[in-house]
Amino acid sequence: IEVHQTCYGVPQLPPKGELWICDRCKSRKNRVKPVSCALCPRRGGAFKPTIDHKWVHVTCACWIPEAKILDFQNMAPIDLTDIPKSRFHQKCYICQQRQGACLDCSAECGKTFHVLCGLLSGAYMQARSPQPEDNNNNNNT
C-alpha cells in the first residue's frame, strides 16, 4: 500500500534497504483474512489500530468528528468511544449499508453517508474548524 508519510504517521523512514511495513501487517493479526474498517464497510486501504483492537481507515478517523487520534505523530491509536451510537445505526445513501458510522450531510438534505463512500462518489466534502466553546462557561473569573 502506498501512503503519504505524514498522513499515515510515519515519523521516520526505515533505513536504506529496509522495507516499510504498515501497522496492520506489523501486527501480524488477521494477516490472511481481510480486515474491515470499524467506521465503514470498505476493505483494504490504510488502516490504523483503535484502542479496542479494531481497525479503521485513517481517512475515516479524520472525518468522523468524534473519533480521536491519540498520537498525531504516529496517527494511532484511535479512540472511537465518543462516537454517538446513532452514527452506527444510520444507513449510507450511497452503498445502502448500515455497517460503520455515517456523516450527516451539512446541506440539511437528510442524507447520511460513510466517509469513503462520499469521497469516492465525488460528494463535495469540506472540513470545518470546531466551533469555539461558549466563553460564558469558563472558570476564569
Side-chain angles (χ1 to χ4, degrees):
I1 184 168
E2 293 181 22
V3 296
H4 294 123
Q5 185 177 348
T6 304
C7 295
Y8 191 75
V10 181
Q12 277 187 305
L13 292 175
K16 190 173 182 171
E18 288 186 29
L19 294 175
W20 172 81
I21 300 172
C22 74
D23 288 1
R24 185 174 153 256
C25 290
K26 277 186 210 172
S27 78
R28 299 193 189 264
K29 288 183 177 182
N30 301 317
R31 197 165 198 186
V32 176
K33 183 181 173 188
V35 173
S36 289
C37 178
L39 298 174
C40 82
R42 298 196 178 264
R43 295 177 184 255
F47 285 102
K48 283 291 188 173
T50 67
I51 62 170
D52 58 348
H53 310 290
K54 296 177 183 173
W55 293 96
V56 294
H57 293 112
V58 175
T59 303
C60 292
C62 289
W63 279 91
I64 297 290
E66 301 87 1
K68 292 182 191 150
I69 300 167
L70 300 180
D71 176 354
F72 278 101
Q73 184 175 0
N74 294 300
M75 296 300 284
I78 298 168
D79 183 356
L80 307 178
T81 57
D82 288 341
I83 300 174
K85 300 284 183 229
S86 59
R87 284 202 190 278
F88 292 95
H89 297 294
Q90 296 171 322
K91 184 177 181 180
C92 175
Y93 88 96
I94 297 167
C95 75
Q96 299 298 306
Q97 294 185 45
R98 291 185 189 274
Q99 180 183 345
C102 288
L103 293 174
D104 298 307
C105 178
S106 62
E108 298 180 17
C109 67
K111 293 181 179 176
T112 60
F113 55 93
H114 297 113
V115 171
L116 284 180
C117 289
L119 289 170
L120 294 172
S121 72
Y124 175 74
M125 294 174 64
Q126 179 180 6
R128 294 184 182 163
S129 298
Q131 296 299 315
E133 292 187 29
D134 183 5
N135 288 334
N136 295 330
N137 293 331
N138 66 22
N139 293 328
N140 298 334
T141 55

